[in-house]
Amino acid sequence: DQQVKQNSPSLSVQEGRISILNCDYTNSMFDYFLWYKKYPAEGPTFLISISSIKDKNEDGRFTVFLNKSAKHLSLHIVPSQPGDSAVYFCAASANFNKFYFGSGTKLNVKP
Amino acid sequence: DTAVSQTPKYLVTQMGNDKSIKCEQNLGHDTMYWYKQDSKKFLKIMFSYNNKELIINETVPNRFSPKSPDKAHLNLHINSLELGDSAVYFCASSQGTSSYNEQFFGPGTRLTVL
């Protein structure tokens, strides 16, 4: 039973446009959420996080939105660049370092 | 200067064999993890050690035995390998056990059991 789901396995976006990656979760105890980025043959690297006390966190071109009532978070990348092409994982935790990961969304940014 | 390294990168073996995957981190972190990425691409936590003590032990067959000789190393030994053990295994480390402590991942070890 997966507690974190990323229902879009892939997404293709034109360079310069907005990329929106979505993530849903089922456990209302989750209070901390992360996005990781993964290139082929490498491990995931931390991208951005958000605590449940916030509904938005921004870091440069990356913004994460959290909708607790819908148990939904999204990652916006504006503007998208070809170097953003990677697999993006969302992860969630309930007050400890045990994270539940989604299955990832492969983003392809076309030049 | 790889922060979290794993060896080997690829491992192909027969069913029933015993194999080990090694992990080392040079970040000075006190907490290390093993994750399994299954065929459906979910990353699932298997084990976590803090200062060489086991703190997370998920529902994993006891054929899997982690060993932490010191804070910088967390090895994973797998006995009697089965087809379903085929996956990519990621090691990670963090400073501290809070969810706010960023986890740094190794490049992964792709295990194929024939």
Side-chain angles (χ1 to χ4, degrees):
Chain A
D1 184 30
Q2 303 302 332
Q3 299 188 49
V4 177
K5 294 180 183 177
Q6 294 175 256
N7 292 319
S8 298
S10 63
L11 175 67
S12 189
V13 169
Q14 204 67 38
E15 181 179 5
R17 305 294 290 267
I18 184 171
S19 296
I20 300 176
L21 295 91
N22 294 303
C23 179
D24 296 295
Y25 60 96
T26 57
N27 188 340
S28 57
M29 298 299 292
F30 288 150
D31 62 358
Y32 194 61
F33 305 87
L34 306 173
W35 283 94
Y36 278 86
K37 179 178 180 177
K38 184 185 178 305
Y39 292 116
E42 294 183 12
T45 54
F46 170 77
L47 185 60
I48 192 168
S49 65
I50 189 166
S51 165
S52 61
I53 62 173
K54 293 185 172 183
D55 54 19
K56 177 182 172 182
N57 189 25
E58 201 169 344
D59 183 2
R61 296 185 297 112
F62 302 91
T63 303
V64 56
F65 295 92
L66 176 62
N67 183 334
K68 287 188 292 292
S69 59
K71 295 193 181 68
H72 178 84
L73 65 157
S74 61
L75 174 69
H76 293 210
I77 307 173
V78 184
S80 301
Q81 298 173 354
D84 296 330
S85 296
V87 177
Y88 290 79
F89 290 94
C90 72
S93 163
N95 201 28
F96 192 54
N97 67 345
K98 181 177 169 181
F99 280 92
Y100 294 85
F101 282 76
S103 54
T105 296
K106 185 174 183 179
L107 174 65
N108 178 32
V109 180
K110 296 178 287 188
Chain B
D1 289 352
T2 308
V4 182
S5 59
Q6 296 179 226
T7 52
K9 198 168 176 64
Y10 299 96
L11 185 53
V12 181
T13 187
Q14 300 287 331
M15 261 192 340
N17 284 350
D18 303 338
K19 290 293 179 186
S20 292
I21 307 172
K22 295 185 176 181
C23 178
E24 176 180 1
Q25 53 94 3
N26 62 8
L27 297 167
H29 288 167
D30 60 4
T31 306
M32 296 185 73
Y33 312 79
W34 276 110
Y35 286 86
K36 178 181 180 181
Q37 185 179 30
D38 61 22
S39 57
K40 294 183 180 178
K41 304 301 183 186
F42 288 98
L43 266 166
K44 294 181 181 176
I45 183 79
M46 299 173 69
F47 303 102
S48 176
Y49 272 73
N50 174 253
N51 285 316
K52 302 196 298 174
E53 265 196 57
L54 183 65
I55 57 170
I56 294 176
N57 185 356
E58 286 300 282
T59 309
V60 176
N62 57 15
R63 298 181 295 103
F64 290 78
S65 52
K67 284 188 172 47
S68 182
D70 55 58
K71 286 197 303 184
H73 296 84
L74 180 61
N75 303 323
L76 183 65
H77 189 75
I78 316 171
N79 289 328
S80 304
L81 278 154
E82 300 178 357
L83 293 175
D85 298 332
S86 294
V88 181
Y89 292 84
F90 289 96
C91 176
S93 72
S94 67
Q95 182 53 39
T97 58
S98 163
S99 55
Y100 299 102
N101 301 128
E102 182 182 341
Q103 294 185 23
F104 292 79
F105 283 79
T109 295
R110 182 175 293 276
L111 170 66
T112 303
V113 182
L114 303 174

